[in-house]
Amino acid sequence: FMFRFVVVLLSVLLLSACYTTPEKVRVIGEKIVVKKSAKGDVYYDTLSATPPSFCFTNHHGKSICSDDMKGKIWICDFFFTHCPSICVKMERNLLKVNSAFKDGPHIVSISIDPARDSASALLAYATKLGVANTHWDFLTGEKDSIYHVADHFLANAAEDPNSPGGFIHDGNFIVVDAKGRIRGFYNGVDEVAVDKMIADIKLLQNE
């Protein structure tokens, strides 16, 4: 009896060791509990971070809105075409992401210098970069609206005459899932982080 017990125990332990929990991508903010009330009743709910609403103009002069992303996995980043520092590496890494998928995710690159980055300037930039598909939009619009969107994306973007190019911004790529939830912030100049983002997007495609 003892021998059979030991054999069974070892089998269970081996099976446990072989089984791994499927990897998942966290939902940003899913642990935040919010107190709500309705019709006099108080209840608690969880809060997920969601992207702000926007409508901007893309490099082909077409209006692109956040509602157009419904049901899609998409990536957002903030840049400007004459950026002399991190933007070049960010956009090259986005080219890598773009080529890693046959169809999507949709990429939205929003200029933080709309005074110079008109639709035609963005088209020239996209052409030089080699972007030829329809699921990558370079966007421009009203400066206040762009900075409002950046702020609600928790992205650092501001004019700064002392910084290279006259602006400061972080280099994050922000991933939004098909349900409109922010699923991650990834350092766009760090190739390890970009590879992790590609892997996470593949997980999201299979959710």
Side-chain angles (χ1 to χ4, degrees), residues 15-161:
L15 285 172
S16 299
C18 292
Y19 177 78
T20 56
T21 303
E23 190 176 355
K24 292 184 178 180
V25 183
R26 70 192 182 110
V27 178
I28 303 298
E30 67 178 339
K31 299 298 184 183
I32 300 174
V33 178
V34 260
K35 184 178 180 180
K36 297 182 178 181
S37 61
K39 296 181 180 179
D41 296 326
V42 175
Y43 66 99
Y44 294 87
D45 198 0
T46 55
L47 179 68
S48 296
T50 56
S53 298
F54 61 81
C55 276
F56 296 132
T57 302
N58 77 353
H59 56 297
H60 294 297
K62 179 184 176 183
S63 178
I64 301 294
C65 300
S66 50
D67 283 349
D68 297 327
M69 308 301 161
K70 285 184 178 178
K72 299 177 182 178
I73 297 170
W74 55 289
I75 303 165
C76 180
D77 77 303
F78 296 88
F79 83 113
F80 56 110
T81 60
H82 59 282
C83 171
S85 54
I86 63 173
C87 295
V88 175
K89 189 165 186 179
M90 286 173 62
E91 302 312 311
R92 285 178 180 168
N93 278 335
L94 276 180
L95 276 174
K96 176 182 177 181
V97 175
N98 192 44
S99 63
F101 299 91
K102 184 178 180 181
D103 184 21
H106 202 99
I107 301 173
V108 173
S109 295
I110 303 175
S111 171
I112 60 172
D113 184 14
R116 280 187 276 190
D117 289 342
S118 62
S120 58
L122 292 175
L123 178 58
Y125 184 84
T127 302
K128 184 177 180 180
L129 194 61
V131 177
N133 57 46
T134 58
H135 51 268
W136 189 344
D137 286 302
F138 295 84
L139 302 182
T140 188
E142 294 293 331
K143 184 177 76 171
D144 289 347
S145 297
I146 288 170
Y147 283 25
H148 172 80
V149 169
D151 184 56
H152 281 73
F153 256 129
L154 303 180
N156 183 24
E159 292 181 277
D160 183 356

